[in-house]
Amino acid sequence: MTPSMYANQIRIMTTTKLAARPCKLPAAFWRSLERLGLSPPAVLRAASLPATLHLDDTVFISTSQLFAIWRAIEALSGDPAFGIRMACETSSAQHMIAFVSALYAANWRDGLERIVRYKRLCSPDELRMAEQDGKMSVTSAWPDGTAPEPCISVEASFALLVELGRRGTGQRLAPLRVELRRRAPGSDGHAAFFGCPIRFGAQADRLVLDATQLALPFRGHNPEMLGMVGPALAAALREIEAQANFEQQVRAALRRAFAAGRADVAMVARELGLSERTLQRRIGEEGKTFRLLLDDTRRNLAHQLLSDLSIDVKEVAFLLGYQDSNSFNRAFRQWEQVTPLTWRRMTAGHASLLVSRQSLPDN
């Protein structure tokens, strides 16, 4: 998609009514707190939550608990810009999985769309982006009846999007303006980071970007670098280097397209430098169809990703290019007759049994 396709029109990325749902805080979140000098147990206690909750990566929390954690972070840090620091002072490799994936997008727009899709899959809120007259406006939406999002949480999200553009392009990009509900703080952390006019005390939080900057290419656009996400994805992407035949080239292109959420004939054909018709013909010459290769590649990659217990099931859906977790669950049921979570538990149990048997002493 070219910038001209978006000119002089409003583009709403999602308008669906949101339903309340629990979420998980990734390990990267707690590591970021520790690096900046905050103790996760202290934060959890201040939020009236179990002090060891951060040690259990299977625990889901409600939106009200999430907000309580953010409020505790600001109270204990005493720094209104602490959320911004979490975004900009965390190394790329230590960020959440969506940020790592987005860094290797083609450009800032592509990276933002990956973050939006990740939010839709893995978070109780959604980022909504509207484009008009050369400006991209970003807001956050929560289910009806949700209490106002803590200011520190909003600002961390906005900072993450700006930091994505800066690290991806290698330029110190600045928004056109930022509107924040927060009253003007006594420190200059917000102004120093955003580098643009900030309106404090606004009715709603809004990040306004220069739409022309969204097409700036990302320096690290290289799908193989997605191996940073985890060992399972790294192993899956090694095949990119070994394109012995045309089918393997198509499968490698599909893997690269999954994370972008656009694994279709047009995208694969474009990447391989072929017309869609030629792509379909060459696949047919090997006795396959594009749909067959797409489903089989996605199924195999799903197995590899689910085998890595550090990747949440919703994150697997994101990395496979699904727009929502229900679509992934339906597809996986068709493949394996069980849900992804059930398959993970079954295979993990089988692996544990094999290890225990191998550790038995010989008689």
Side-chain angles (χ1 to χ4, degrees):
M1 295 183 180
T2 62
S4 61
M5 296 175 63
Y6 302 94
N8 301 316
Q9 63 175 321
I10 296 177
R11 181 166 180 254
I12 305 296
M13 300 202 70
T14 178
T15 57
T16 56
K17 185 175 181 179
L18 301 180
R21 56 181 178 176
C23 66
K24 291 182 180 181
L25 283 175
F29 178 88
W30 302 111
R31 289 196 298 267
S32 178
L33 290 182
E34 290 181 314
R35 279 193 297 272
L36 294 177
L38 277 189
S39 162
V43 169
L44 289 166
R45 283 192 293 267
S48 300
L49 292 169
T52 58
L53 183 144
H54 65 296
L55 300 177
D56 187 349
D57 59 8
T58 67
V59 170
F60 284 87
I61 59 174
S62 66
T63 298
S64 61
Q65 291 171 328
L66 174 65
F67 287 1
I69 289 172
W70 276 113
R71 286 192 293 269
I73 289 172
E74 181 160 0
L76 292 178
S77 69
D79 181 3
F82 195 88
I84 294 173
R85 292 180 58 203
M86 289 178 68
C88 68
E89 295 183 25
T90 298
S91 69
S92 298
Q94 295 296 322
H95 261 294
M96 65 180 185
I97 198 170
F99 188 85
V100 177
S101 170
L103 273 178
Y104 303 113
N107 52 42
W108 197 8
R109 184 188 296 278
D110 185 20
L112 290 174
E113 291 181 351
R114 295 188 189 198
I115 297 290
V116 168
R117 186 164 57 85
Y118 177 86
K119 281 268 192 180
R120 189 164 58 242
L121 280 164
C122 303
S123 297
D125 64 318
E126 287 188 355
L127 287 176
R128 293 186 173 175
M129 297 168 36
E131 185 169 346
Q132 185 178 31
D133 299 330
K135 299 176 183 178
M136 177 70 83
S137 176
V138 184
T139 57
S140 184
W142 293 83
D144 291 342
T146 302
E149 181 180 6
C151 294
I152 187 175
S153 172
V154 177
E155 294 152 10
S157 294
F158 286 175
L160 186 74
L161 302 183
V162 174
E163 191 68 12
L164 171 67
R166 290 174 178 173
R167 295 192 193 186
T169 63
Q171 302 179 37
R172 186 166 175 77
L173 305 177
L176 293 175
R177 70 177 186 275
V178 180
E179 301 171 8
L180 301 174
R181 288 178 291 117
R182 177 192 295 279
R183 293 182 180 179
S187 60
D188 61 355
H190 292 72
F193 174 78
F194 287 112
C196 70
I198 301 177
R199 179 188 170 194
F200 293 104
Q203 290 187 340
D205 299 295
R206 188 181 310 275
L207 174 69
V208 182
L209 305 174
D210 182 349
T212 62
Q213 294 182 337
L214 301 181
L216 292 174
F218 274 15
R219 300 175 303 167
H221 179 44
N222 182 350
E224 295 175 45
M225 297 292 285
L226 284 171
M228 293 176 64
V229 171
L233 189 56
L237 291 172
R238 287 193 191 104
E239 293 184 19
I240 295 172
E241 300 175 358
Q243 301 176 349
N245 57 45
F246 185 68
E247 179 181 328
Q248 288 180 331
Q249 293 179 45
V250 174
R251 289 179 182 273
L254 282 168
R255 285 187 172 89
R256 293 192 288 269
F258 287 151
R262 296 191 296 272
D264 54 25
V265 173
M267 186 171 188
V268 173
R270 184 167 57 252
E271 180 165 340
L272 295 179
L274 303 171
S275 68
E276 295 179 34
R277 187 172 181 178
T278 300
L279 172 65
Q280 299 273 28
R281 177 180 56 78
R282 292 192 60 181
I283 293 174
E285 289 173 353
E286 298 191 11
K288 305 289 178 61
T289 65
F290 180 82
R291 171 56 60 180
L292 187 152
L293 290 181
L294 186 150
D295 286 346
D296 190 56
T297 303
R298 198 172 241 161
R299 179 181 183 179
N300 290 336
L301 185 54
H303 289 167
Q304 290 175 291
L305 294 174
L306 287 170
S307 297
D308 185 343
L309 300 183
S310 68
I311 305 178
D312 186 76
V313 172
K314 289 184 179 180
E315 293 176 333
V316 173
F318 164 75
L319 291 169
L320 292 175
Y322 288 98
Q323 299 303 315
D324 58 78
S325 55
N326 288 335
S327 297
F328 174 46
N329 286 335
R330 284 195 298 271
F332 200 86
R333 277 182 176 275
Q334 291 180 344
W335 297 330
E336 310 297 344
Q337 289 71 56
V338 295
T339 66
L341 186 57
T342 300
W343 186 90
R344 167 175 274 179
R345 288 170 176 166
M346 291 168 55
T347 54
H350 179 65
S352 298
L353 180 61
L354 287 177
V355 170
S356 63
R357 286 180 176 175
Q358 291 172 355
S359 64
L360 291 175
D362 294 332
N363 291 328

